[in-house]
Amino acid sequence: MNVELPFAPVDTIIRRNAGDLRVSADASKELATRIQEHGSDLAIDAAEEATADGRKTLMAQDFGVGTVVDKDDLELPVAPVDRIARLEIDDRYRVSMDARVALADILEDYADNVARAAAILARHADRRTITDDDIETYFSLFE
């Protein structure tokens, strides 16, 4: 699977939750991959919601979002999130800008939760670096 999400914003999200810990490149890559998988799954569900409403355009409400944040307040860029949303849905669907921003916000919250837990796991293992093993351990324990 080709990862659409750039690693730099994912690294930034991990670092803001890491405190004094370092972050390995593999941790950023692993989290970016997991974010992409989650975003793609959410888009499939949103497409089903849009279809049930007789629409071909995914809206923020299809992602369960009532109020959309300002895209400038997000770390994750909207363009790659748009590509993530389109990975597993039919080409007949369009993704509104509000839906893209809503999905980016959801995925950023998701990434923050994983990064926070990965930092706890790294500290518990008495390491100074968050690694991909911490991300993988999170998913094996909590999902």
Side-chain angles (χ1 to χ4, degrees), residues 77-91:
V78 174
V81 170
D82 178 44
R83 290 191 297 274
I84 289 169
R86 297 170 190 274
L87 283 174
E88 299 294 329
I89 62 173
D90 194 301
D91 289 341

Side-chain angles (χ1 to χ4, degrees), residues 57-135:
T57 302
L58 275 61
M59 309 293 281
Q61 67 198 33
D62 298 322
F63 290 98
V65 174
T67 304
V68 179
V69 300
D70 186 332
K71 70 178 184 175
D72 294 333
D73 294 338
L74 297 172
E75 192 65 44
L76 294 179
V78 174
V81 170
D82 178 44
R83 290 191 297 274
I84 289 169
R86 297 170 190 274
L87 283 174
E88 299 294 329
I89 62 173
D90 194 301
D91 289 341
R92 65 187 166 143
Y93 291 103
R94 294 181 302 275
V95 183
S96 73
M97 180 55 79
D98 280 353
R100 295 172 202 171
V101 174
L103 181 56
D105 186 27
I106 291 167
L107 294 177
E108 191 162 322
D109 286 345
Y110 177 80
D112 273 324
N113 290 333
V114 175
R116 218 175 355 265
I120 291 168
L121 290 167
R123 285 187 187 96
H124 181 73
D126 202 26
R127 283 185 280 102
R128 297 183 340 165
T129 303
I130 297 172
T131 67
D132 57 331
D133 288 339
D134 299 314
I135 304 295

Side-chain angles (χ1 to χ4, degrees), residues 36-58:
Q36 179 168 306
E37 291 169 357
H38 185 60
S40 182
D41 290 343
L42 291 173
I44 291 168
D45 293 342
E48 290 172 2
E49 289 287 325
T51 299
D53 285 348
R55 292 181 280 107
K56 293 182 182 176
T57 302
L58 275 61

